[in-house]
Amino acid sequence: MGQNLARNVASKGFPIAVHNRTSAKTEEFVATYGHEGDIVGGATMADFVGALERPRAVMIMVKAGAPVDAVIEELIAHLDDGDVIIDGGNSLFTDTERRVRSLAARGLRFLGTGVSGGEEGALHGPSMMPGGSHDAYAVVAEVFTKIAAQVDGEPCCTYIGDGGAGHYTKMVHNGIEYADMQLIAEAYDLLRHGLGLGNDELHEVFSTWNAGELSSFLIEITARIFAVRDDQPPVAGVAGAPGHLIDQVLDQAAQKGTGRQTAQEALELGIPVTAITEAVFARALSALRDQRLAASTVLPGPVPGDARVGDDRQGFVDAVRDALYASKVVAYAQGFDQLRAAGAEHGWALDLGTTAAIWRGGCIIRAQFLNRIRDAYTEHPDLANLLLAPYFTELLARTQDNWRRVVSEAVRLGIPAPAFSSSLAYYDGYRRAQLPANLIQAQRDLFGAHTYERVDRPGTFHSAWE
Ligand code: 3PG
């Protein structure tokens, strides 16, 4: 990703110096891509820093955690007051806050910058979420806004806020990404095992969806995945006909941590991001493959694939599409709610409309409906919840019968749909004037004298329940 970002910078006409701790890699990069622009290789850190104009801006692209601190320590011996260090990895926002403070004490400026879009995005235009020193952003703003993806003539990059605001926003972006991917996986499971669609049909369904309201990078790549044939020869003694590559991919999802961090931070804030959290747990459950294989022969229940939904096949495909869209809206509403709460907690003036705008291009969750989210928060910056914006309220009214039908069918068929069902439960809970929390308060007061409030008079009460 670092290499592609460097090539992107060079291709926009900016001079750039590059350095890798393995000098052979630096040489190879310059030999291969040096003709693409004004690119200089630095064999040592001193050579590299010496090639930069002042105030220097150095972007670090290494694994989050200790490697970032190690590179910073090595780097600062060569830097001068006012130089800028940019961390473009997925650092935890609290680490970014610490680095902003400790580097400021040493006269250096720091930008924790979320960069989304993977390898391709880095090369052709990512979505960028810089946070930290505001005057440091002024040093790199021209480069960042030129290398970022452009949508309707606007760069997918803006200064997010001070401290760890940029990395926090990228973390929530990734949390939403987890939810979005899990929802698409549940739609796939329902269509495959509830309806019996094959990969070619799945390719058609997702391609059709990508041409409509659900149009997004994740739906587009999902459609493409179902079209890919396996190019490996069959393994002797292992069952399975040659066919589609997706059927040979082991069903254990890995994770690098940003989804888990989003859920952890949401718990700290007390913000229910149920779709993101269910997506993290679904990956954790998928990783318990040995246990699942053993349990599959012991625990009773409907076997996905044995029973099917009824004869109205197109009706069910449309219902899954509606359930996916409604659940996605909930997942994004929850993520934006977390950003709103985090902004208040940490004193960041987060602009949710602009955040939605810079996610419209370059990044993994880029989607057509982010235009609607941008509009909702631009028109009503204090919107309590995205679900209350008229476009989304109407969408949920229109899709919810199908949403309920799909969740019911999933339960009946024994197909786990945790993100679909938890999103629907959140929706039903959020629109409920009266929840059963009165009983929880009564229980707490009975066993722990934790007190409760009453609906008919002000004050705090404790009762002798027994
Ligand atoms: C990334 O940062 O590479 C992805 O957006 C998320 O990675 P993960 O799914 O491995 O956690």
Side-chain angles (χ1 to χ4, degrees):
M1 204 162 158
Q3 293 198 5
N4 280 356
L5 264 184
R7 292 175 60 199
N8 186 352
V9 170
S11 75
K12 299 295 182 305
F14 298 105
I16 185 166
V18 295
H19 169 72
N20 187 287
R21 64 183 168 171
T22 309
S23 59
K25 284 195 179 171
T26 308
E27 281 168 27
E28 188 188 334
F29 176 78
V30 175
T32 311
Y33 302 110
H35 65 278
E36 292 184 358
D38 187 353
I39 301 175
V40 176
T44 65
M45 189 66 94
D47 292 344
F48 162 69
V49 173
L52 301 174
E53 283 174 22
R54 296 184 194 193
R56 304 178 183 94
V58 181
M59 189 154 185
I60 302 170
M61 297 297 290
V62 297
K63 195 172 181 298
V68 177
D69 288 315
V71 173
I72 289 174
E73 273 312 310
E74 192 189 350
L75 189 55
I76 55 181
H78 304 277
L79 296 182
D80 295 309
D81 274 9
D83 286 345
V84 177
I85 300 177
I86 305 143
D87 170 17
N90 275 336
S91 290
L92 189 59
F93 82 101
T94 46
D95 285 341
T96 302
E97 307 235 294
R98 168 176 59 77
R99 290 169 187 142
V100 168
R101 281 194 304 271
S102 67
L103 289 169
R106 297 161 90 157
L108 297 168
R109 299 178 283 181
F110 189 73
L111 282 175
T113 301
V115 181
S116 178
E119 304 263 326
E120 281 299 298
L123 183 60
H124 299 296
S127 175
M128 302 184 72
M129 294 149 256
S133 163
H134 191 239
D135 56 307
Y137 180 65
V139 175
V140 295
E142 190 192 352
V143 178
F144 275 20
T145 50
K146 286 231 170 75
I147 65 170
Q150 312 287 319
V151 175
D152 299 337
E154 293 170 26
C156 292
C157 173
T158 192
Y159 176 74
I160 301 289
D162 62 15
H167 273 141
Y168 196 101
T169 299
K170 173 58 164 50
M171 177 189 76
V172 174
H173 164 285
N174 280 25
I176 293 173
E177 175 183 309
Y178 273 55
D180 210 338
M181 293 168 77
Q182 174 63 23
L183 290 166
I184 292 171
E186 290 175 19
Y188 158 56
D189 204 5
L190 283 155
L191 294 174
R192 185 184 180 204
H193 292 111
L195 204 53
L197 297 191
N199 290 315
D200 293 334
E201 292 164 303
L202 287 163
H203 169 73
E204 289 302 320
V205 167
F206 279 91
S207 299
T208 305
W209 288 357
N210 194 47
E213 287 175 311
L214 279 173
S215 173
S216 63
F217 173 71
L218 285 170
I219 296 284
E220 180 203 321
I221 63 166
T222 302
R224 292 208 316 252
I225 284 168
F226 291 123
V228 176
R229 312 290 300 190
D230 188 13
D231 62 359
Q232 297 294 309
V235 177
V238 177
H244 292 84
L245 181 54
I246 184 66
D247 295 329
Q248 302 304 326
V249 178
L250 194 68
D251 58 333
Q252 281 185 300
Q255 51 183 310
K256 294 204 290 284
T258 43
R260 183 177 65 241
Q261 289 160 3
T262 309
Q264 286 170 331
E265 291 304 322
L267 284 170
E268 288 297 326
L269 292 167
I271 296 298
V273 295
T274 57
I276 294 170
T277 308
E278 286 293 355
V280 177
F281 284 146
R283 289 197 192 190
L285 185 61
S286 81
L288 304 177
R289 186 161 180 269
D290 291 346
Q291 289 189 45
R292 289 190 287 111
L293 287 174
S296 69
T297 63
V298 177
L299 297 178
V303 176
D306 278 5
R308 300 278 195 226
V309 295
D311 294 333
D312 179 13
R313 293 168 68 82
Q314 187 56 47
F316 190 69
V317 170
D318 292 345
V320 173
R321 180 203 59 210
D322 283 356
L324 176 56
Y325 198 10
S327 303
K328 275 178 79 146
V329 168
V330 167
Y332 281 67
Q334 293 176 342
F336 276 91
D337 196 24
Q338 179 168 350
L339 285 177
R340 182 193 52 72
E345 174 73 15
H346 299 285
W348 299 322
L350 300 184
D351 180 333
L352 301 185
T354 304
T355 302
I358 65 165
W359 288 350
R360 291 178 305 155
C363 67
I364 304 297
I365 64 169
R366 62 185 183 261
Q368 186 176 294
F369 90 133
L370 279 159
N371 282 305
R372 299 290 187 174
I373 300 179
R374 189 257 327 251
D375 293 348
Y377 282 115
T378 304
E379 281 163 32
H380 301 286
D382 295 327
L383 191 64
N385 190 305
L386 195 59
L387 305 185
L388 301 172
Y391 174 83
F392 292 107
T393 304
E394 186 279 323
L395 184 151
L396 293 162
R398 158 165 72 84
T399 53
Q400 72 173 277
D401 284 353
N402 275 336
W403 196 10
R404 293 180 195 284
R405 177 186 165 200
V406 167
V407 171
S408 303
E409 284 288 1
V411 171
R412 188 179 72 78
L413 297 170
I415 297 174
F420 274 13
S421 51
S422 72
S423 299
L424 180 54
Y426 172 90
Y427 176 70
D428 282 335
Y430 190 72
R431 69 187 184 85
R432 191 88 184 276
Q434 166 84 52
L435 286 170
N438 52 332
L439 179 58
I440 291 167
Q441 285 296 78
Q443 290 166 334
R444 292 177 69 244
D445 191 51
L446 184 152
F447 67 66
H450 292 307
T451 74
Y452 61 94
E453 291 176 281
R454 295 179 58 102
V455 294
D456 60 349
R457 68 199 70 180
T460 302
F461 299 87
H462 167 59
S463 296
W465 293 91
E466 292 174 297

